[in-house]
Amino acid sequence: MATYHKTYHTIVLGVGGMGSAAVYELARRGKRVLGIEKFDIPNTMGSSHGYTRIIRKAYYEDPSYVTLIKRAYELWQEIERRSGRQLLVQTGSLDIGPADSWVFKGSRQSSIDHNLVHEILTGREINQRYPGYRLPEDLMGVYQPEGGFLIPEASTVAYIEAAHQLGGEVHGRETVLSWEPDGDGVRVITDRDQYLADSLVITAGAWNPQILPILNGLAIPERQVLAWLQPYKPEYFTPGTFPVFNILVPEGRFYGFPVHGVPGFKFGKYHHFQEMVNPEYYNREPLLEDEQMLREFSSRYFPDGSGPTMSLVACMFTNSPDNHFIIDLHPDYPQVSFASGFSGHGYKFASVIGEILADLADWGKTRHNIQLFNLARFTGRVSQLYQDHPGLQRERPYTRVNRSSLRQNYRRELISRRAARGVPIRPQDIPVRPGRRSVPGNQAGYHPRSHLRRGSLFGKPVTDFSDRTYTWDTADPRYWEQDDIKTFW
């Protein structure tokens, strides 16, 4: 019979993709570990669900990711062997865009630099090889045979069951009220009890800023919508005939999967309508305009997959200002570590991030190179992990983009499309200045930018944001200004 304690080596707050991997890794090291989750385990409230999540090795966002993704593959295979579950399905993956686009050029360069197995295909060759695709012939793609998808719900279950077998303790449906330093350790107070630990790991996704105020304004939840459509030709959309894709087209940057787990060809648009939300109060019910935008994309590029709607699901990204992860020790309390801001591309790394967080909790440092993900790049506050890296207090590197203009431009485009189809224009479709109305999908008048305008997030003060704006890769200027295209590095 299991014996439960109130004193632990490490407590992990948030037991989704990253947190469940961290709990397992700590239990595997013989640590007395407690995982606390606000919702069910697994659940559909955060960002660790959806039946399939893309995994790929050619990472153009920054070379640092490639080393990590190689280790992530090893760890996914390890937990597969331990659990006896298939968690990683290799379908091949395609990174597609115009020949001069940063998606295609970056993926190709990453494959070359890191000696990754890959093949260059034209749009015409992709259509011939994979008839579910209907791409313009002048697009270019990088095919990686090792790409595919992960099964997130089964992965969380596999990690938690393995942690249980190793003596780990996990509590679902328990809300954290607060935490505080307790000497060199921490005290965690929940709606059920109080717990003590030597170290604390925070992996609460969209709820991270509520638990960790230093992330206010740096980990912004964003509403995302996915569609599953019945294919007209199901044989074109199986894992054996349809690679996962990441594609940049004039409509934006999209991603998609073969049919798996539930009926339907699944796809979505990165950053969807760019709606920043409060995770407690946002519309989880997809709207007609969500479906229409997604269907316009699928009917153009995947017409044989654009049958009746099977499912529409709203979930969340949690974005950092530069779309790179934030993984670090707390600058004031080195016994506290955290991982946040995965910006819609983090789940594939969950296995290795669990290992990194276990390192930080156990040793206060990690064997992995995570300098790219330091908190100081935004705040200038260098943690104990980077005391020997004074250069981290450099000027913040991310690009200025007027997000208000992007949103208003999209609204204007939506109005013109509706007018062309003879659809009546509603008052709420007319673009206005941010902060003057409630955006559809939010409750109680909560506007996606209101926390910036009012200087608070979830009722807590944040620093002045006047010099901070957000880069959204669907509007990356390197795509539109093709005379000046270069890779991220």
Side-chain angles (χ1 to χ4, degrees), residues 266-487:
K266 173 190 173 184
F267 63 98
K269 180 182 181 181
Y270 283 101
H271 305 298
H272 199 61
F273 288 153
Q274 302 178 10
E275 298 173 84
M276 293 185 290
V277 297
N278 185 318
E280 301 285 358
Y281 307 108
Y282 82 96
N283 191 352
R284 292 181 176 273
E285 183 61 30
L287 306 173
L288 179 60
E289 64 186 70
D290 296 319
E291 182 178 12
Q292 287 175 335
M293 183 271 286
L294 293 170
R295 278 192 163 278
E296 287 178 5
F297 164 79
S298 65
S299 63
R300 181 168 300 175
Y301 301 103
F302 300 92
D304 290 327
S306 300
T309 299
M310 297 289 97
S311 301
L312 292 169
V313 173
C315 60
M316 285 182 289
F317 286 176
T318 304
N319 301 313
S320 72
D322 61 4
N323 283 342
H324 291 308
F325 309 160
I326 308 174
I327 306 174
D328 208 335
L329 299 178
H330 193 290
D332 298 322
Y333 310 112
Q335 67 269 44
V336 178
S337 57
F338 57 89
S340 190
F342 292 104
S343 306
H345 65 112
Y347 189 86
K348 61 182 73 67
F349 296 93
S351 59
V352 69
I353 288 170
E355 185 173 70
I356 290 168
L357 291 170
D359 289 348
L360 296 178
D362 207 5
W363 310 323
K365 57 185 179 180
T366 178
R367 70 199 83 176
H368 297 286
N369 177 10
I370 60 169
Q371 182 172 330
L372 175 66
F373 311 135
N374 68 85
L375 177 67
R377 71 189 194 267
F378 304 122
T379 66
R381 301 179 63 193
V382 181
S383 72
Q384 181 176 295
L385 185 62
Y386 296 111
Q387 289 298 321
D388 296 331
H389 298 79
L392 293 183
Q393 300 184 45
R394 62 187 181 275
E395 183 181 352
R396 296 168 189 164
Y398 44 93
T399 308
R400 295 185 64 85
V401 172
N402 189 327
R403 296 190 65 251
S404 171
S405 295
L406 292 176
R407 185 183 295 112
Q408 293 193 42
N409 289 342
Y410 177 78
R411 292 283 175 186
R412 293 188 182 97
E413 180 182 354
L414 184 63
I415 287 174
S416 64
R417 290 181 183 180
R418 285 178 170 169
R421 296 196 305 266
V423 178
I425 305 303
R426 304 169 299 175
Q428 61 264 39
D429 295 325
I430 300 173
V432 295
R433 287 194 298 157
R436 301 303 183 191
R437 66 175 177 85
S438 173
V439 169
N442 293 277
Q443 300 176 6
Y446 179 86
H447 190 278
R449 289 181 62 86
S450 62
H451 67 280
L452 303 184
R453 178 170 48 82
R454 292 196 300 265
S456 66
L457 179 62
F458 313 133
K460 298 179 180 179
V462 298
T463 56
D464 179 18
F465 257 84
S466 58
D467 63 336
R468 296 182 185 171
T469 51
Y470 293 84
T471 298
W472 302 96
D473 52 7
T474 53
D476 193 295
R478 283 165 292 195
Y479 172 66
W480 304 111
E481 299 170 10
Q482 296 196 5
D483 292 336
D484 188 31
I485 293 174
K486 56 186 177 181
T487 56

Side-chain angles (χ1 to χ4, degrees), residues 51-55 87-91 147-151 239 244 257-260:
Y51 307 105
T52 51
R53 304 297 291 272
I54 285 178
I55 186 167
L87 305 176
L88 195 164
V89 180
Q90 290 191 2
T91 63
F149 61 81
L150 297 159
I151 306 172
V244 299
F257 308 78
V259 176
H260 179 83

Side-chain angles (χ1 to χ4, degrees), residues 49-61:
H49 61 282
Y51 307 105
T52 51
R53 304 297 291 272
I54 285 178
I55 186 167
R56 56 186 170 89
K57 283 188 176 179
Y59 234 73
Y60 44 81
E61 286 84 349

Side-chain angles (χ1 to χ4, degrees), residues 24-75:
Y24 161 72
E25 182 63 31
L26 287 160
R28 191 178 68 81
R29 299 181 187 191
K31 303 300 179 181
R32 192 162 64 246
V33 57
L34 168 64
I36 302 176
E37 170 58 49
K38 181 176 183 178
F39 303 108
D40 294 329
I41 302 172
N43 64 73
T44 60
M45 301 299 289
S47 303
S48 298
H49 61 282
Y51 307 105
T52 51
R53 304 297 291 272
I54 285 178
I55 186 167
R56 56 186 170 89
K57 283 188 176 179
Y59 234 73
Y60 44 81
E61 286 84 349
D62 189 275
S64 302
Y65 289 101
V66 179
T67 302
L68 291 179
I69 198 63
K70 288 181 177 179
R71 177 57 176 161
Y73 267 83
E74 295 173 356
L75 293 172

